[in-house]
């Protein structure tokens, strides 16, 4: 009886030891599986982060390319109307200029005739005094011609005024050797503003700023001159013009405002009378 009982206990102990070993092996296997899952999860996270980074870079690259294409197309769209209509409009502008020059030459002839007819004693003036008087008459005629040129923008729509003002600026810049393509980067150095004002009012512009190599100083100088004429810029003038691509609407608006102020100043400056011209 005791032997059978001992055999059963021994069998139970062996079963328990076997069961304990199997549990340990199972736990070890589960731990290995858990470590493998953690490693797989880490690799998956890294892979997801890498894919997200690649997707973000590709998206950013595509957006940059799209923005570049849009900016190029926008620049082309802004330049094309003026370039496309230049040939047609130049002929009209040349006809207007020719008519103004003829009117101006007629006014010069009448002015010379009135000067000679009012005071016969001028025929007896010395050659030096005659030369000085002729210089004064030429200066008045030049002022009349410049004042006539100011009043040449008569377009009814924004596009017409934009094209007319651009063509006028191109004609003004040609003697100064300043390239003029649009109301943006062509004005960023400040030289075009100096030339524009100098063309109508040479007395307001120091000629050294027509070739000054410091754009910021030139722009600040131009802003001061424009304020003296009554043309105020809404915002930071220097900061806007020193951008890579200055906004053409603001630049055009300021040039048109400056153009209007120059026209008002020319009209407010009274033409010298006959007595002033003939006075010694």
């Amino acid at each position: 009886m005791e032997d059978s009982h001992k055999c059963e206990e021994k069998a139970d102990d062996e079963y328990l030891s076997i069961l304990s070993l199997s549990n340990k092996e199972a736990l070890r296997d589960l731990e290995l599986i858990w470590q493998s899952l953690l490693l797989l999860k880490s690799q998956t996270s890294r892979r997801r982060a890498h894919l997200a980074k690649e997707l973000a870079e590709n998206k950013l690259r595509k957006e940059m390319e799209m923005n570049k294409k849009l900016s190029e197309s926008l620049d082309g769209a802004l330049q094309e109307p003026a370039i496309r209509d230049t040939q047609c409009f130049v002929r009209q502008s040349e006809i207007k200029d020719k008519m103004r020059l003829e009117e101006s030459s007629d006014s010069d002839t009448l002015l010379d005739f009135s000067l000679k007819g009012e005071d016969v004693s001028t025929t007896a003036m010395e050659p030096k005094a005659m030369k000085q008087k002729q210089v004064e008459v030429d200066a008045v005629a030049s002022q009349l011609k410049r004042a006539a040129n100011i009043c040449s923008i008569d377009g009814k729509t924004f596009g017409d005024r934009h094209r007319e003002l651009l063509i006028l600026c191109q004609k003004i810049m040609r003697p100064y050797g300043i390239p003029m393509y649009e109301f943006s980067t062509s004005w960023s150095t400040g030289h075009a503003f100096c030339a524009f004002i100098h063309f109508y009012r040479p007395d307001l512009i120091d000629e050294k700023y027509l070739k000054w190599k410091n754009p910021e100083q030139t722009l600040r100088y131009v802003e001061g001159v424009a304020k003296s004429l009554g043309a105020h810029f809404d915002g930071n003038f220097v900061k806007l013009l020193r951008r890579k691509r200055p906004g053409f609407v603001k630049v055009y608006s300021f040039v048109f405002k400056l153009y209007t102020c120059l026209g008002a100043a020319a009209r407010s400056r009274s033409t010298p009378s006959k007595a002033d011209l003939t006075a010694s």
Side-chain angles (χ1 to χ4, degrees):
M1 188 71 179
E2 291 179 359
D3 294 336
S4 62
H5 184 67
K6 288 180 180 179
C7 288
E8 290 178 358
E9 290 180 351
K10 187 176 180 181
D12 292 339
D13 292 338
E14 290 178 355
Y15 177 75
L16 290 173
S17 63
I18 292 171
L19 184 61
S20 177
L21 288 173
S22 62
N23 288 337
K24 288 181 179 179
E25 290 177 355
L27 289 172
R28 192 181 302 111
D29 293 339
L30 288 173
E31 186 176 358
L32 291 174
I33 292 171
W34 176 249
Q35 291 177 356
S36 299
L37 289 174
L38 289 177
L39 181 61
L40 182 61
K41 183 180 180 181
S42 176
Q43 292 176 352
T44 304
S45 300
R46 287 197 297 269
R47 180 61 179 170
R48 284 182 177 177
H50 182 68
L51 290 175
K53 184 178 179 181
E54 287 183 352
L55 289 174
E57 290 177 352
N58 291 333
K59 185 177 179 181
L60 180 62
R61 190 181 302 109
K62 289 180 180 179
E63 289 179 353
M64 291 177 65
E65 291 177 355
M66 186 177 297
N67 290 336
K68 184 178 180 181
K69 291 179 179 179
L70 287 175
S71 63
E72 291 176 354
S73 62
L74 180 60
D75 292 339
L78 293 176
Q79 294 179 9
E80 283 178 2
I83 296 174
R84 187 176 56 248
D85 299 338
T86 297
Q87 294 181 350
C88 296
F89 191 79
V90 163
R91 182 171 178 78
Q92 297 178 1
S93 181
E94 289 177 351
I95 294 173
K96 291 181 180 179
D97 292 341
K98 186 177 180 180
M99 293 175 64
R100 292 192 197 96
L101 289 175
E102 290 177 354
E103 292 176 358
S104 179
S105 63
D106 293 339
S107 64
D108 292 345
T109 304
L110 291 174
L111 183 61
D112 292 338
F113 179 76
S114 63
L115 289 175
K116 294 177 181 178
E118 183 180 355
D119 190 359
V120 182
S121 62
T122 55
T123 57
M125 294 175 65
E126 297 179 356
K128 185 176 181 180
M130 288 292 292
K131 184 181 292 184
Q132 183 178 1
K133 191 61 61 179
Q134 184 63 35
V135 170
E136 293 176 358
V137 172
D138 292 341
V140 173
S142 177
Q143 184 178 1
L144 291 173
K145 289 178 182 179
R146 292 177 186 275
N149 284 332
I150 289 179
C151 305
S152 61
I153 304 298
D154 53 2
K156 295 182 179 180
T157 65
F158 175 82
D160 291 339
R161 291 192 296 272
H162 177 274
R163 288 192 295 271
E164 290 176 8
L165 184 58
L166 180 61
I167 291 173
L168 177 63
C169 292
Q170 289 172 342
K171 290 183 177 181
I172 291 174
M173 301 304 156
R174 195 173 295 124
Y176 296 93
I178 298 174
M180 176 57 54
Y181 303 109
E182 46 10 57
F183 293 104
S184 183
T185 54
S186 298
W187 302 80
S188 60
T189 61
H191 295 155
F193 288 107
C194 290
F196 190 82
I197 299 173
H198 184 270
F199 179 79
Y200 294 112
R201 293 290 303 278
D203 56 308
L204 295 180
I205 295 295
D206 189 344
E207 292 187 359
K208 70 178 183 180
Y209 284 101
L210 292 170
K211 300 292 183 181
W212 199 251
K213 294 183 179 180
N214 190 320
E216 294 183 359
Q217 291 182 3
T218 305
L219 290 170
R220 281 194 289 270
Y221 173 76
V222 166
E223 186 178 15
V225 175
K227 286 181 179 178
S228 68
L229 290 169
H232 297 273
F233 184 80
D234 297 331
N236 192 324
F237 181 71
V238 178
K239 186 176 180 180
L240 173 73
L241 269 298
R242 291 310 296 162
R243 290 179 182 174
K244 185 177 181 180
R245 295 184 183 277
F248 90 97
V249 175
K250 288 190 175 182
V251 176
Y252 163 78
S253 300
F254 182 70
V255 174
F256 191 81
K257 188 185 297 183
L258 187 62
Y259 161 85
T260 305
C261 291
L262 285 167
R267 288 188 294 272
S268 65
R269 287 160 63 92
S270 59
T271 305
S273 63
K274 297 176 183 179
D276 294 334
L277 291 174
T278 56
S280 58

